[in-house]
Amino acid sequence: MRVFQSGRILVWLGVAIFVAGFVLSIYLYLSGGQEVETEPEFTPVALEMTFSNLPPIEKGQYILWRRDNGVYQKFDEQIDPAEESLGIVIDSELTLETLFEVSVEASSAPLSPTGPIVLEGNWSGGSAELRFPVNINGAQGSFILATPTNGEGSLESSGVWFYDEPNESSSLKLEQLPDGWTYEGWVEHREEMLSIGRFESPNWPDDSNQYSGDEPAYPFPGEDFIAGRPGLLAPPLSLRSSGGSTVRISIEPDIDGVDPTGREPWGIFFMEGTVSGLTNVGVPVPIEFTADYMTPIARIIE
């Protein structure tokens, strides 16, 4: 009886050895006779980001992102424009498909960018060069001194309008901005920076009439400074007096009609014109493209 049981054990042992050998042979065949190597664990790498011309912001914050094949990763490190550098750590391999972006956000909560992209650039050759992605070159235009919102012939040097009166059209030629950006007009008078209003297109009115009167305005961007409280100044303002005024146009962040950086100028003024004591009302004054305006730049290196 014991001999019979021992024989059965030997048979089952032989079957098990055969099956194990068969499985091993299949494994070696599929792997080319070599052991399958596992991917080595990625060692985190420290990178340095340097940046310049990044405007300080009154509200909101700048956030650095990494995007791979449409998937975003947010870096927790805070970008301070005054510091001009930032250390970051990456936890997975960088490829030519890796894109770095900096957005301006109302809060630190989003899992992907919701505000406009201020800087972007791809990883290549051990670094990434980040540039401002908005084209505003080639802008041109003019403005006139006029105050349509209080009727004709009164306080005409107290208003600025981007209006081509003979053609009843806008006097500005500007590129259409991508989502997340808008234009804003400004008048600097006696060291006060006063908003004319924000506008997506020079062919439409701006979003402000805070200093204007009650009469109909031109259907284009502009402002009469004859009411309200223009900064610390008392209306009406004579824009030709007290050393004149400077008229500017800036590009501003915009999230659903709200500037996440606050109501102060964000910092990129790309057009400028001058009102002097000799400027005639109703006569076009050039507002010229400022070729030396500064846009943000950044670099990320190992």
Side-chain angles (χ1 to χ4, degrees), residues 2 12 17 73 159 250 269 293 299:
R2 290 182 178 175
W12 283 111
I17 293 173
Q73 174 189 346
S250 68
F269 294 100
Y293 73 93
R299 190 179 191 215

Side-chain angles (χ1 to χ4, degrees), residues 11-232:
V11 170
W12 283 111
L13 183 59
V15 171
I17 293 173
F18 172 79
V19 171
F22 178 76
V23 171
L24 179 60
S25 65
I26 294 297
Y27 173 80
L28 293 175
Y29 172 77
L30 293 176
S31 63
Q34 299 178 353
E35 293 186 6
V36 177
E37 296 183 0
T38 59
E39 285 286 333
E41 186 174 332
F42 184 83
T43 302
V45 176
L47 303 179
E48 182 184 21
M49 177 182 179
T50 58
F51 44 86
S52 59
N53 306 329
L54 192 61
I57 50 180
E58 174 189 2
K59 298 179 180 178
Q61 58 189 291
Y62 295 112
I63 295 180
L64 175 64
W65 306 87
R66 169 185 173 175
R67 190 178 77 186
D68 294 274
N69 298 318
V71 178
Y72 279 98
Q73 174 189 346
K74 179 171 65 175
F75 291 90
D76 294 329
E77 291 82 358
Q78 296 293 314
I79 297 177
D80 181 355
E83 294 295 330
E84 297 191 343
S85 67
L86 178 71
I88 59 175
V89 176
I90 60 166
D91 55 12
S92 60
E93 185 178 0
L94 298 170
T95 71
L96 295 177
E97 301 300 321
T98 300
L99 179 70
F100 287 99
E101 296 178 338
V102 174
S103 68
V104 57
E105 304 288 345
S107 72
S108 60
L111 299 178
S112 61
T114 61
I117 302 300
V118 177
L119 289 163
E120 66 178 11
N122 280 92
W123 182 260
S124 177
S127 66
E129 305 292 336
L130 282 64
R131 295 288 184 265
F132 186 59
V134 180
N135 177 24
I136 48 180
N137 293 327
Q140 56 182 304
S142 63
F143 63 88
I144 60 171
L145 296 182
T147 53
T149 66
N150 72 332
E152 296 184 4
S154 175
L155 304 174
E156 295 298 293
S157 66
S158 297
V160 170
W161 292 87
F162 300 108
Y163 179 51
D164 180 350
E165 192 168 18
N167 295 307
E168 297 184 346
S169 64
S170 173
S171 61
L172 292 174
K173 292 183 179 180
L174 303 174
E175 295 286 339
Q176 182 176 353
L177 294 175
D179 291 343
W181 296 100
T182 192
Y183 294 112
E184 187 162 5
W186 303 88
V187 169
E188 185 177 6
H189 181 70
R190 292 174 59 185
E191 299 184 351
E192 287 282 338
M193 189 70 77
L194 307 172
S195 176
I196 291 174
R198 297 158 69 91
F199 54 96
E200 294 182 8
S201 167
N203 300 313
W204 306 334
D206 60 63
D207 68 352
S208 173
N209 61 355
Q210 59 184 324
Y211 308 124
S212 293
D214 298 326
E215 298 293 321
Y218 301 129
F220 303 102
E223 186 73 43
D224 290 347
F225 296 93
I226 59 175
R229 188 71 179 176
L232 299 177

